[in-house]
Amino acid sequence: MSAAAAPTGEIDAARRTLITVSVMLASIMSALDTTIANVALPRIQGSISATQDQITWVLTSYIVAAAIMTPLSGWLAGRIGRKQVFLYSVAGFTIASMLCGAAQSLPQIVLARLIQGLCGAALIPLSQAVLLDINPPARHARAMAVWVMGATLGPIIGPALGGWLTEDYNWRWVFYINVPFGILAFLGIMSFLPEGAIRKSRFDFFGFAALSVAIASLQVMLDRGQLKDWFSSAEIWIEAIVAAVAFYWFVIHMLTTTERRFVSPALFKDRNFLTGNVIIFVVGAVLYATLALLPPLLQDLLNYPVVTTGLVTAPRGAGTLAAMFIVGRLMGKIDVRLIIASGFALAAASSWQMTGFDVQMDSSMVVWSGILQGLGTGFVYVPLAAASFATLTPALRNEGTAIFSLTRNLGSSIGISVVNTLLTRNTQIMHATLSEHVSRYSSVLRAQLPDPAPSLRTLAGLNATVTQQAAMIAYNNDFKLMMLLSLAAIPLVFLLRKARGSAPPVSIE
């Protein structure tokens, strides 16, 4: 057993339920904040008088802080105890949320978001480790289904909840909403989560510093790349070089040092864990990139209100929830690799549906493709989270869950940056291509514009129509990339080791 975990036999069903509710409240709160603030950015920008360049630091500060702190959470859990890390993290996250809501200037909100990211980073990986430890192996699929629900539904409902709070109340409630849930999670963890044994271990400062610099440089590069036109900017070149050199030092140090390592190489000797990290990278890219594309598509191209955008994208959460119940009945009866492969096939089918989006479509296309993607995500995420840790020793679970979450976050960051860059550039290319067919010699255009000398307003409207169609084609190309990534991940699934013997059926009812 993990040194931070109590034996499962000592925890009765009622206490196990209370622990699950408490830690999932904390993880949902953390996952929600990755997207809930996005829709409020324009209001925040006006309220604190920030420029477009400056306001991005409200998101960047949180992402960078969380990325740096995520791999440290495993070491801290062993050093001071998992329960203490949970309590400090929930308390810090709740207080930082209050400070975000009360902020009156850009430096104040950026500093508060930085603290929020540092404190919230440990909540999702440690909640996964707790659920694995308090449940016997036969219930791991059920535990991972609950964990996946929190990790994925938070980002999905974030835009809808953030839009409603911003429209009907104030952008500050986007942060204040965390306070009651933070207090409940703190009291539940303090009352029900068992104390764990503490493992005294030497801290690898060099490994931590090298990995932190690499992650921070990469995240800043990804967040500011499009704004700075990528590698035409000296800033982006510097950030890329610093990230590459720091990561090289981290890998060499991890493989050659004879002292305590910040990240144990033993993690990557486990084939299931290593393969699971590669696959979760793809899942992070596909899921979060799609979530980043849909709101601007619906709001900017189709003129959906913020609340309506949230409502039509929310059904993908219902698809994920339905997948959890289906997977719970299939685990132990069907090869887990076939379940994961089926999930990627569903995700690819969903992305293929999205390639058919157009400016005249109704909301049903968005709803049904979202439900299908939610089903695919559930089919992949739940068994993958269980299979990745099935052969990993319990002593490595704290580190393993931290690296697993970090890999997913890096996949989402890279995926979002890539699709946004492609969206901008493909829109320009498509606009130029379509414009070649818009001339006074076009018979179709002459039928629409009988006036041989159209007014400036008419020409502006024509240009807006061309731009709208170009953007729609660019969005469709991004969805096609998501489809290809989902299909490319299917062969990777069969690198997972097949479970030996017959696992007992599990249920997530």
Side-chain angles (χ1 to χ4, degrees), residues 79-100:
R79 181 72 178 181
I80 65 174
R82 187 186 291 164
K83 181 174 182 177
Q84 297 303 316
V85 174
F86 250 124
L87 291 175
Y88 290 140
S89 297
V90 171
F93 190 90
T94 306
I95 293 171
S97 297
M98 295 174 61
L99 295 176
C100 286

Side-chain angles (χ1 to χ4, degrees), residues 362-407:
D362 58 24
S363 59
S364 63
M365 287 189 68
V366 182
V367 171
W368 286 111
S369 62
I371 291 174
L372 191 60
Q373 188 180 60
L375 279 169
T377 301
F379 269 79
V380 171
Y381 222 141
V382 175
L384 179 64
S388 299
F389 293 89
T391 55
L392 197 67
T393 59
L396 293 173
R397 271 186 193 149
N398 284 335
E399 279 186 63
T401 52
I403 296 299
F404 194 73
S405 291
L406 176 64
T407 304

